[in-house]
Amino acid sequence: MWRFGRTTRTGVLKRTRSCGAQKDKLQKKYPTFTQRRANLSLPPVGVCHARKTGPFLFPEWISLFGSSWSSSSCAVRLYCSGASNTDPIEIHKHKLMLWFNHLPQEEKQFGGYFSPETMHVEPLILEKRPEEGEGSSISPYRESASVSISPTVDQLFHLSQSEEHGRGLNVLLYGAVGTGKSTVVRKLVLDWCSGSKLSQFKLVVPFSCEDLCRSSKPMSLRDLVGRKYMHLRRTPFLSGEGDQAREVLFIFNGMEKMKLDFRIGSSELCSDPNEVLSSEAVVVNLLRKYLLPEASILVTTRLSAVDRIPKKYVGRYAQICGFNDPDRQRAYFTSRLLLQSRGKPDKEAESLIEMLYLNLQRESQLAAACFLPSYCWLTCATLHFLHFTDVKAPIRTLTGIYTSFLRLNFGGEVMATGSMSSQEQQTSLMLYVVRTVGKLAFDGVTSKRASFSESDLEQWIGGKTKTDEELRQLAVFRTDVLDFFLVPCVEYNRIVTESSEKRYVFAIPAMQEYLSALYVVLGENKSALEKVTKEVSDIVGQTSEDLSSIMNILSKLIPFRIFAIFNLLKLFPKLFDRLSALSKGRIANTMAAEMFRSEDSYNEDVLDQVEQSLLGVQGPQLKQEADTKSFELYPIFMGGLLHYGNRRLLDQLGCDIKSTTVAQITRTLKKQLIKESRKQQPATELMDLLLLLYEFQNPRLTSEVLKSVKVVNLSTVRMTPLKCFVLSSVLDCTPSSFLLDELNLSSCHITPDLLSMLWPAFHNTHCLNLQFNRLDSESCILLRDLLLEPNCTVKTLHLCDNLLSDRGVTHLLDALPGNKSLQKLSLMHTGLGDGAAFELAERLSQHSGLQELNVAYNNIGDSAALALVDACREHPTIHTVHLYLNQLTDVGKQSLHVRGVPQEKNGRRVKALASVTEGSDISEDWHPILSVIGKNSLSWERERIREQLLVFLKDLEWGRKQNQSFWKRLHFHRVERMVRRTLRMLEKGSATGTKPVTK
């Protein structure tokens, strides 16, 4: 059953128990510091803020008990402030270790076996001043002559020999969004805590500039440090006496969030750590080396804010450039994908890494995207979702992964449209992205384009700017954010001439579809009538409220009916509501139209397309024109964005999707999905529909849509653990009375492990088709348990072309006494021998409902076949036994024909299908036999099929000679032509080496 955003009481109980366990662990690890209960001090929000979390960002500040850290929450303090015999620096290190080692919620999808040490890969860092080339250019394929001398951040403080004696060093680390600045700082702090780096500093004090700029209360440097780190209030390193501050390193992460002003008139000079100043003035004086000049400082910032600190106050510049080569990218993927189960290497993960590395070495578009560690994380999360989803893992959706990815990178960020102090004039950065980049993405999806020219970017992202403030915003947006989403098109730029216009694509193809879906669901794609109506409605609605209150007073004094006309003003807001409802209905219709677009039919399913975009396509690839590109993820993302969990994350990004909007879209979409689900869809399109329902995470909607579905045909779809999980989860939403006529999973590459994941889906069908898969004898144990279920509904079970062997059949036969539903059992080409046939003959009497038995194309001889037919004759309901393509002699076939004829005049006949002939006559079932052989001849053992067809020809020739009737001989010629046609097809396929698609 699906799990949703609401917390159950059981979940609360589990968290409470786990809290106690974590508390005990902490007390065992730090017994000196856990002697007293007190109010928990705030975590170092100076290090990071609550929204930017993840593997390349700071950890989310949640308590060890699962709830948010807050000043009012009552919890266990890890360290005793009254322990006088405890070194404050050691307490500081222990606290930083706990805080920075915490894995956020997004990391749990990787199994929770990782730590910042094991999953850290050092990005490329170049000691480079901004004027030495364009600092904003982030090419994925740099000429890496300087890579060999790339320093680490701690080496930037070691290698300095030119600083003025007695003064600390200011280092400015700058880079684009997603290059790994916060990850580097996080790892640096952890290494200092463990003693492996920055050993020259006895105290490291990290701050978040976003937190500092929100602090409105002036305070001194010591109070500022003491507020974030209470145990450092009295440390002598910050007293300003002597040169103790030379062993202190301040870290200010995200300096672009602060408005630093180095003019004397704006930020007064101060050298006293105890003097009260604004937080900006404290930082400015530290960088000026007027306050604690001996202390060293590390500042990280985005590209647009490099010039905010005057060059004379920066001792060393360093640019963080991400992963500039496939080897660094492979190291990152290896650290995240290789260990899937408690330190044991996973073979599937190893093969994934190899395919991924091959794609990266081709200088593919993925390599350009993974130049940013952020996209390495997104790629890893997607591959983990595609290949390592199981019933024990937390519920994850593809839409949820992309929503979390954007929250990790842009959560809480705003773009000011006026004074920074005015909260009303601030717009969410993510909403700005949707209205610009999302609009470009939507235009591309509408016109079926995945690449864009510079003029397209200017049209959709440049917009019609009017004020200097808007121009400044656009310049910052282009420098910091635009390159995060759009990168040069690698394949296109290889073949264009120098005079051709450069093309840009989204770093990850699915990001275009996600942003366009978000653009539509947020209602940004409004018609001109809707825009005008909303403005008029807002104005008239406000006016009507004021006039109504005045007219209510006047109407008591002058009761004229003329005042009733003012009530017409209230019609305008209602008119907008009706137009808004129609707009939401249009969104639902768009989703349905894109979902069932006819030109996208018969493509590979969406999940396979996503996998190929990451792992590449092995072998020759068909060229796809830009105007025929299909965007099949687009409607699925629109459905996923309506889920409550994703809407909650988007609300943190400033993108609010109202519940009324969701209800209106869902109401119309349900009608469309029910209408389309009644039609017979191709297998891949049906898989996409199931994925859409899964992304919705709405059991009620899923149940109502599936009511009209009677056949789920996923034949030839390459099933993976994720697809099995999706199918089982969707069918699990249906009521117990829901039953499918057929669940067709033939030729789906199902293994015994996948079979166990599909167990919930098997309880909803009459006909279960599992032929042409990779099942073995152990799989029959699970199928036996299915047949022994008290409410088993399976009437037909197809297990053809699975290597079950005699042992597997023995397991299945154990279900005969307890099963009441099975009517048809197909064991064709499953490796059965005489032993299994004899045992089957002995135990058929234990089941009274079986009607048809197919054991064709096995290794059954004459005696075992005769015994099986005799048992079927004695069975009350069996009427047909398939025995063709077995090791039968001519005598045996004749005996089987005789056994099938009833001994009494009105006795029951059992058809024993052993050949296309029955004695000197044509078998009435010759066509089904040749049809089965024709469909599967190229996938079966060809030499054996050829021998059997030659035997058929010999039997037909003999039978034709025995008949004098012209019509019978004509019938023999017809069947003989069909056999020869099948034989020619077999020989032609053997010569060309082609394989058919089995159905």
Side-chain angles (χ1 to χ4, degrees), residues 726-746:
V726 168
L727 175 60
S728 296
S729 299
V730 169
L731 290 180
D732 194 42
C733 293
T734 58
S736 57
S737 58
F738 172 77
L739 288 175
L740 292 170
D741 290 340
E742 181 183 6
L743 176 59
N744 189 344
L745 297 173
S746 62

Side-chain angles (χ1 to χ4, degrees), residues 214 414-417 419-427:
R214 293 183 178 182
V414 296
M415 294 193 68
T417 58
S419 174
M420 287 296 293
S421 60
S422 176
Q423 296 293 331
E424 292 79 8
Q425 297 182 359
Q426 292 182 352
T427 303

Side-chain angles (χ1 to χ4, degrees), residues 7 29 48 67 86 134 158 160 169 225 266 340 360-361 521 557 569 595 621 745 811 840 922 995:
T7 305
K29 188 173 182 180
C48 68
S67 59
T86 303
E134 296 183 4
H158 277 295
S160 176
L169 179 64
V225 173
S266 300
Q340 293 300 324
L360 295 173
Q361 285 182 315
V521 173
L557 303 175
L569 295 173
M595 188 72 203
Q621 182 180 6
L745 297 173
H811 291 315
L840 182 58
I922 297 291
K995 293 184 178 181

Side-chain angles (χ1 to χ4, degrees), residues 970-986:
L970 187 63
H971 194 190
F972 270 93
H973 274 295
R974 178 190 175 194
V975 178
E976 188 175 345
R977 284 198 306 269
M978 291 288 294
V979 175
R980 292 187 184 277
R981 184 187 303 172
T982 305
L983 188 61
R984 285 195 301 269
M985 183 182 66
L986 178 66

Side-chain angles (χ1 to χ4, degrees), residues 432-624:
Y432 189 89
V433 169
V434 172
R435 290 172 176 172
T436 53
V437 184
K439 192 174 184 180
L440 175 72
F442 175 74
D443 178 70
V445 170
T446 304
S447 57
K448 299 295 179 183
R449 290 188 300 119
S451 64
F452 307 93
S453 63
E454 292 183 351
S455 58
D456 293 331
L457 269 62
E458 182 64 31
Q459 175 186 358
W460 297 111
I461 298 176
K464 299 179 180 179
T465 53
K466 298 179 180 180
T467 65
D468 292 341
E469 180 65 25
E470 289 174 338
L471 289 173
R472 283 193 295 269
Q473 289 181 14
L474 182 60
V476 172
F477 181 79
R478 283 181 172 271
T479 302
D480 288 342
V481 181
L482 187 58
D483 288 340
F484 181 81
F485 292 101
L486 293 166
V487 297
C489 180
V490 174
E491 287 78 8
Y492 182 86
N493 291 333
R494 286 177 185 159
I495 59 176
V496 297
T497 61
E498 293 182 0
S499 59
S500 299
E501 191 175 16
K502 184 181 290 187
R503 307 290 294 183
Y504 296 87
V505 296
F506 281 84
I508 295 290
M511 185 59 71
Q512 178 181 356
E513 299 177 71
Y514 178 89
L515 289 178
S516 58
L518 186 57
Y519 178 79
V520 174
V521 173
L522 284 175
E524 295 297 327
N525 184 33
K526 295 185 178 72
S527 64
L529 176 61
E530 290 171 337
K531 293 178 181 178
V532 172
T533 306
K534 185 179 188 314
E535 294 177 358
V536 173
S537 174
D538 292 341
I539 295 173
V540 174
Q542 296 174 1
T543 307
S544 64
E545 291 179 2
D546 298 335
L547 288 178
S548 295
S549 59
I550 296 174
M551 293 305 164
N552 286 335
I553 298 174
L554 293 178
S555 62
K556 296 178 180 179
L557 303 175
I558 311 175
F560 295 128
R561 295 183 179 273
I562 192 173
F563 291 115
I565 196 172
F566 289 100
N567 290 327
L568 293 175
L569 295 173
K570 299 179 181 180
L571 292 178
F572 288 92
K574 293 181 179 180
L575 176 61
F576 171 71
D577 291 340
R578 295 192 62 181
L579 286 175
S580 178
L582 293 175
S583 173
K584 306 305 183 298
R586 191 178 71 244
I587 293 174
N589 292 329
T590 301
M591 291 174 61
E594 291 290 336
M595 188 72 203
F596 302 101
R597 186 181 291 273
S598 58
E599 57 264 33
D600 294 344
S601 299
Y602 299 99
N603 291 337
E604 292 178 293
D605 62 80
V606 163
L607 294 175
D608 280 349
Q609 293 177 37
V610 172
E611 180 182 282
Q612 288 181 7
S613 70
L614 300 179
L615 301 180
V617 179
Q618 307 300 324
Q621 182 180 6
L622 296 176
K623 292 184 178 180
Q624 188 178 33

Side-chain angles (χ1 to χ4, degrees), residues 137-302:
S137 61
I138 51 171
S139 171
Y141 306 111
R142 290 183 183 274
E143 295 295 334
S144 55
S146 58
V147 174
S148 59
I149 57 174
S150 170
T152 59
V153 178
D154 63 311
Q155 289 174 344
L156 293 174
F157 292 94
H158 277 295
L159 300 179
S160 176
Q161 298 178 356
S162 59
E163 302 94 294
E164 185 177 345
H165 180 70
R167 297 172 68 90
L169 179 64
N170 292 348
V171 175
L172 180 61
L173 179 66
Y174 64 96
V177 177
T179 48
K181 300 183 295 297
S182 296
T183 303
V184 167
V185 171
R186 177 187 186 184
K187 184 64 166 57
L188 188 68
V189 173
L190 289 174
D191 288 342
W192 173 76
C193 293
S194 63
S196 59
K197 291 183 180 179
L198 298 176
S199 57
Q200 70 271 35
F201 298 110
K202 292 186 178 180
L203 178 61
V204 173
V205 186
F207 282 101
S208 166
C209 291
E210 180 174 6
D211 177 70
L212 292 178
C213 72
R214 293 183 178 182
S215 177
S216 58
K217 181 181 178 181
M219 61 185 66
S220 66
L221 172 63
R222 292 184 66 107
D223 290 338
L224 191 63
V225 173
R227 180 188 176 191
K228 307 302 175 185
Y229 308 99
M230 187 176 62
H231 42 279
L232 298 180
R233 283 182 175 176
R234 300 179 182 179
T235 178
F237 290 102
L238 303 178
S239 63
E241 300 176 359
D243 60 350
Q244 295 186 83
R246 66 184 175 85
E247 297 178 316
V248 177
L249 171 64
F250 290 99
I251 298 178
F252 297 100
N253 187 51
M255 189 271 295
E256 69 277 356
K257 304 293 194 310
M258 298 189 73
K259 298 295 183 182
L260 301 182
D261 193 342
F262 285 82
R263 295 174 299 179
I264 300 297
S266 300
S267 300
E268 59 180 307
L269 298 177
C270 174
S271 60
D272 184 3
N274 297 305
E275 185 174 344
V276 175
L277 297 171
S278 65
S279 58
E280 289 84 359
V282 171
V283 176
V284 166
N285 279 284
L286 283 172
L287 291 170
R288 283 173 175 163
K289 295 303 177 187
Y290 204 79
L291 180 62
L292 298 184
E294 302 85 5
S296 297
I297 300 173
L298 172 64
V299 176
T300 69
T301 185
R302 291 180 181 173

